[in-house]
Amino acid sequence: MIPLIAPSVLASDFANLQAEVEMLNKSQADWLHIDIMDGRFVPNISFGFPVVEAIQRHAQKPLDVHLMIQEPELYIERFRTAGADTITVHLEACIHLHRTVQQIKDTGAKAGVALNPHTPVQLLEDIIADVDMVLLMSVNPGFGGQKFIHNTYRKIEALKNLIIARNSHALIEIDGGVNLENAPLLLEKGADVLVAGSFVFTSADPLHTIAALKSSSI
Ligand code: DX5
Ligand code: ZN
């Protein structure tokens, strides 16, 4: 399986955002992963609508927006207007997750649901048929550059089984600590989309690193 690669803009040079986005346009990246943090759901603040709009003005690839915010239902339409193609909300942040997933779809965006490392995939049983993607956090959300959590492999297997059992078309996206060491096993277990932030942007040659991730299946 050839994975989709979604470099996380969080690790890019914000003072040269246009150049970073143009680099991603030229690369083998499939999507641009955009992390929104509110300082409440996670203990960090990233950026908001004006920055997403600025990225969208230069990006030639879909924007994969990951909302690490409380009450995401208040901001779905604004992120869609700012340019989001996929909008992912955290299960832990949504009291009425089914309603929020429908709200995302009503904007025309694809709907994703994210799970923190401690959240069992079995909680998706009654929503999996309605979502386009499940994002499994393989670090605790809030920061780039953290160490990959190994239990993620087991969660991918369980999620894959659930997707098959429920006849769902949901993609499995892995976010946090992804690199060339863990990518092959992530793909073997059933991952479809790999997010990579610091591994791409701190490498000497991001274009080459993205290409290497793209061809990392075994
Ligand atoms: C973490 C974010 C990730 C982050 C990944 O809260 O959701 O998307 O940017 O960064 P790395 O690849 O450096 O772990
Ligand atoms: Zn993310």
Side-chain angles (χ1 to χ4, degrees), residues 6-12 14 32-39 42 44-49 51-52 55 63-69 79 86 88 90 114 135 137 139-145 173-176 195-198 201:
S8 171
V9 170
L10 186 68
S12 70
F14 291 168
L32 275 59
H33 185 81
I34 299 184
D35 290 306
I36 307 295
M37 304 175 181
D38 66 351
V42 289
N44 199 6
I45 297 175
S46 57
F47 47 78
F49 306 112
V51 175
V52 179
I55 293 170
L63 304 189
D64 173 35
V65 175
H66 176 194
L67 299 182
M68 286 162 275
I69 65 175
F79 279 110
T86 299
T88 297
H90 269 262
L135 184 160
M137 285 303 316
V139 299
N140 286 293
F143 303 92
E173 180 175 54
I174 309 302
D175 187 7
V195 175
S198 51
F201 285 96

Side-chain angles (χ1 to χ4, degrees), residues 23 33 78 115 171:
M23 181 277 289
H33 185 81
R78 286 192 66 189
L115 300 186
L171 296 175

Side-chain angles (χ1 to χ4, degrees), residues 67-214:
L67 299 182
M68 286 162 275
I69 65 175
Q70 290 183 350
E71 297 184 286
E73 64 277 5
L74 300 181
Y75 304 103
I76 301 295
E77 285 75 16
R78 286 192 66 189
F79 279 110
R80 176 63 174 157
T81 305
D85 292 283
T86 299
I87 298 175
T88 297
V89 294
H90 269 262
L91 177 142
E92 302 86 358
C94 294
I95 297 171
H96 302 291
L97 181 60
H98 184 273
R99 177 185 289 154
T100 305
V101 164
Q102 298 310 319
Q103 188 188 348
I104 295 170
K105 289 176 153 184
D106 287 346
T107 69
K110 292 201 183 307
V113 174
L115 300 186
N116 281 335
H118 74 279
T119 304
V121 298
Q122 285 72 21
L123 292 181
L124 295 169
E125 196 174 323
D126 291 301
I127 195 79
I128 193 71
D130 297 297
V131 301
D132 299 297
M133 187 165 78
V134 176
L135 184 160
L136 294 180
M137 285 303 316
S138 40
V139 299
N140 286 293
F143 303 92
Q146 302 181 81
K147 196 170 169 291
F148 177 82
I149 296 171
H150 276 259
N151 188 51
T152 308
Y153 297 123
R154 204 184 54 74
K155 287 181 82 169
I156 299 173
E157 283 177 337
L159 177 56
K160 193 79 192 171
N161 289 337
L162 182 62
I163 287 171
I164 292 166
R166 296 281 161 157
N167 214 4
S168 163
H169 65 266
L171 296 175
I172 301 177
E173 180 175 54
I174 309 302
D175 187 7
V178 172
N179 56 37
L180 275 172
E181 264 168 51
N182 52 33
L185 191 51
L186 290 171
L187 298 174
E188 191 186 303
K189 297 290 183 190
D192 302 293
V193 188
L194 301 179
V195 175
S198 51
F199 187 67
V200 165
F201 285 96
T202 65
S203 70
D205 184 351
L207 287 174
H208 181 267
T209 304
I210 292 167
L213 284 167
K214 185 79 186 166

